[in-house]
Every structure is written in structure tokens, then in C-alpha cells.
Amino acid sequence: SDALAPAQERKGTIFLAETSWDRDSDRKRLEAEPSGRGYQVLPDHDLPSNEDAGSEEIKKALAGWEMAIHLIGNQPGMVPKGPTQTSVDELQNEMAAAESDARAIPRVIWVPGDTQSKVDSHQEFLRLLGKDDRVQRGADVVKGDFEVMKGAVLQALQQVEQKKNAP
């Protein structure tokens, strides 16, 4: 299987943000797309529950990535122990946006149209994802169903590959 392929044969790294439990199965389904095309998908294990360690891990996963995908659910993702009490959804989005600014790397954020949260901080994050340029930086925010989002991801992957193969 390509899990055992030597690193140099991999096409690159895709950052597929850790998500809330209600989007876990979607994340697994989507992961098959880039990994089936020879990309490494990170993070490939659960993030640490400590904010500093988690941020460190996200930073490592973001270091070589060529595209980021965020699947946003009705629930906030894990809130790591730490000073900011920010969910991994927001932490990953913030860090990926900054990295995208620095390197002009595409991001796809999936917020299905019916996404609603009873958690105030997460509902506010959903609201900002819908309208705040700072929160959306570098991203295509997709509201359709899974297939629409998958299409947006594959389109972004194509752009990544065209950029690579450009003379």
C-alpha cells in the first residue's frame, strides 16, 4: 500500500484539519481522495489535549503542506487545555490562514449550509467563517453537500499540481 511508499515518492502533504466528532466520518471519507493520489495527509493521529503541544503539532503538520482542508461541524472540535480555551477548529484555522498568507497556499473550508451550533463561541466562529475576510484568508468557503466539497478539494488539488508542473 502507498502508506509504505518512500517519502520521495509522495507528491506532497495535505493538511486535513482535525474536526469535531460529528464530522469525523466525513474526514475519513475525504482523506481517501488525496491519499489515493499519493499525498500524505496530516495530522495523521489525534492532536494532544494540551494547547501548547497541540499548537506545536499543528505547526509541524502545516510546515510542508500544499493545501489545507477544514471540515466544520455543528459541534466545536476539542478544546485543548490551555490559556485561550480555543477549539482546535479555530486554532487550526488561524494557523493555516497565517501560513496561507505567507505562502499563498489554497485552503478549502467546508461549512454545510445547515450547520448550527448551540455552543455560543462556535456559533460565532461559524458566523465569522461566513463573512470575515480575516477568518477566511486564502480559503474557498464551501456550503454545499459532501460531493460539492469534494469537487472543490479536487479542483484545488489540480491547481496545486499545475503550479508544481509549471516551468
Side-chain angles (χ1 to χ4, degrees), residues 22-44:
D22 63 326
R23 289 277 177 265
D24 250 359
S25 61
D26 291 325
R27 186 184 187 277
K28 286 189 181 72
R29 266 170 79 196
L30 183 66
E31 192 179 346
E33 295 295 331
S35 65
R37 286 173 166 72
Y39 289 89
Q40 181 181 20
V41 179
L42 295 174
D44 53 7

Side-chain angles (χ1 to χ4, degrees), residues 78-151:
M78 171 191 68
V79 176
K81 299 183 197 78
T84 69
Q85 290 298 290
T86 306
S87 77
V88 291
D89 292 320
E90 291 185 63
L91 279 174
Q92 293 172 117
N93 186 62
E94 187 52 49
M95 293 171 78
E99 189 71 19
S100 177
D101 275 353
R103 298 196 282 131
I105 301 231
R107 302 198 303 136
V108 174
I109 301 176
W110 184 44
V111 189
D114 57 357
T115 308
Q116 281 287 328
S117 185
K118 294 183 172 67
V119 180
D120 291 346
S121 58
H122 192 62
Q123 186 56 39
E124 176 60 11
F125 177 54
L126 291 171
R127 192 182 70 76
L128 291 173
L129 278 174
K131 65 183 251 318
D132 187 320
D133 294 342
R134 220 182 60 76
V135 179
Q136 296 175 351
R137 294 194 316 280
D140 180 8
V141 179
V142 181
K143 292 198 180 322
D145 63 12
F146 185 86
E147 290 304 316
V148 171
M149 180 267 297
K150 193 170 99 175

Side-chain angles (χ1 to χ4, degrees), residues 2 4 8 19 24 45-46 51 54 61 65 104 109 114 124 127 141 153:
D2 70 302
L4 301 172
Q8 68 270 17
T19 187
D24 250 359
H45 56 271
D46 288 346
E51 194 177 309
W65 61 290
I109 301 176
D114 57 357
E124 176 60 11
R127 192 182 70 76
V141 179
V153 165

Side-chain angles (χ1 to χ4, degrees), residues 49-62:
S49 60
N50 167 295
E51 194 177 309
D52 289 344
S55 295
E56 206 43 53
E57 190 100 4
I58 295 166
K59 208 178 284 173
K60 271 207 278 259
L62 288 172

